[in-house]
Amino acid sequence: MRVLVACEFSGIVRRAFAARGHDAWSCDLLPAEDRSNKHIVGDARDLLGDGWDLLIVAHPPCTRLCNSGVRWLSKPPAGRTRADMWAELEEGAALFSAFWNAPIERIAVENPVMHRHAKECIANYAPPAQSVQPWQYGHGESKRTCLWLKNLPPLQPTKIVAGREARVHRMPPGPDRWRERSRFFPGIAAAMADQWGEHAMQEAAA
């Protein structure tokens, strides 16, 4: 199966699928942390028509789409204007729309809970199929993530563990905070590769 993992520079999801025999590639504006030759530096939207079997959008820019940032649309931070905020909202919604409406049979887009303005801006918006937590997949942390799915079954928990620490949310400000906040959890990536990979292979054999 040909898999495109968009908006990922860590390689965590790409490696999970590659380890199970899939032809997996990642794409991001940043180079790959692991320096893999299966990573493309650029805009993933330019690759959507290249015959992929599965698209996973691991962590698209979501600052203006998520509920936690809706307040800035009416009261922008210092040095910014309302016009800036709404322009960034439209850019984020356009990116999400491009992925959600891509010409690919199976699609999974990860994002936090969205506010109503974001939903109104997204083409063919549909509610998320599910939300998952890291502690359902072997990580003792709490970070609710919504998954928008097309032609894919909801992920099933693989290893429920104790611990509900909101580690990422409580990280202090710093130059690398954004990088750690966008890093995917390996346990969830493994569940995607196992469950969605098997689902696609069963469909192909049917």
Side-chain angles (χ1 to χ4, degrees):
M1 180 171 64
R2 297 193 71 226
V3 181
L4 174 63
V5 185
C7 305
E8 178 184 65
F9 59 84
S10 69
I12 292 171
V13 179
R14 166 176 39 81
R15 289 193 298 271
F17 277 88
R20 290 153 179 82
H22 299 290
D23 181 18
W25 293 75
S26 56
C27 179
D28 196 85
L29 297 178
L30 297 175
E33 283 187 336
D34 60 4
R35 301 184 180 184
S36 171
N37 62 1
K38 305 281 284 196
H39 178 81
I40 300 167
V41 177
D43 190 330
R45 287 173 288 189
D46 296 335
L47 308 175
L48 297 179
D50 291 351
W52 306 98
D53 299 304
L54 170 61
L55 167 67
I56 297 176
V57 187
H59 195 83
C62 61
T63 304
R64 300 292 164 247
L65 303 182
C66 60
N67 262 339
S68 61
V70 69
R71 67 188 186 279
W72 302 119
L73 295 176
S74 57
K75 296 181 180 180
R80 306 298 302 278
T81 66
R82 288 188 63 190
D84 293 336
M85 300 296 99
W86 282 89
E88 290 179 5
L89 166 61
E90 292 176 359
E91 290 173 6
L95 181 66
F96 191 101
S97 296
F99 292 137
W100 184 238
N101 295 282
I104 299 172
E105 184 175 357
R106 304 170 189 87
I107 298 174
V109 185
E110 177 267 351
N111 225 272
V113 178
M114 290 187 190
H115 55 73
R116 65 180 181 87
H117 304 294
K119 297 173 184 178
E120 292 169 357
C121 291
I122 292 170
N124 300 314
Y125 177 81
Q130 69 176 133
S131 63
V132 297
Q133 289 277 2
W135 52 262
Q136 297 174 305
Y137 301 89
H139 303 279
E141 299 182 30
S142 175
K143 185 188 178 189
R144 184 187 178 194
T145 297
C146 296
L147 296 175
W148 282 257
L149 305 177
K150 279 187 180 178
N151 298 319
L152 289 169
L155 282 183
Q156 300 302 313
T158 56
K159 185 180 180 182
I160 295 178
V161 297
R164 301 292 185 270
E165 179 189 5
R167 178 187 63 85
V168 175
H169 179 71
R170 294 175 180 171
M171 288 181 65
D176 294 325
R177 188 174 190 267
W178 67 270
R179 185 182 296 268
E180 293 307 312
R181 285 180 64 86
S182 67
R183 194 175 301 280
F184 216 81
F185 289 92
I188 300 178
M192 290 176 168
D194 285 333
Q195 297 177 34
W196 293 344
E198 182 180 355
H199 172 77
M201 299 305 290
Q202 288 177 349
E203 284 192 337

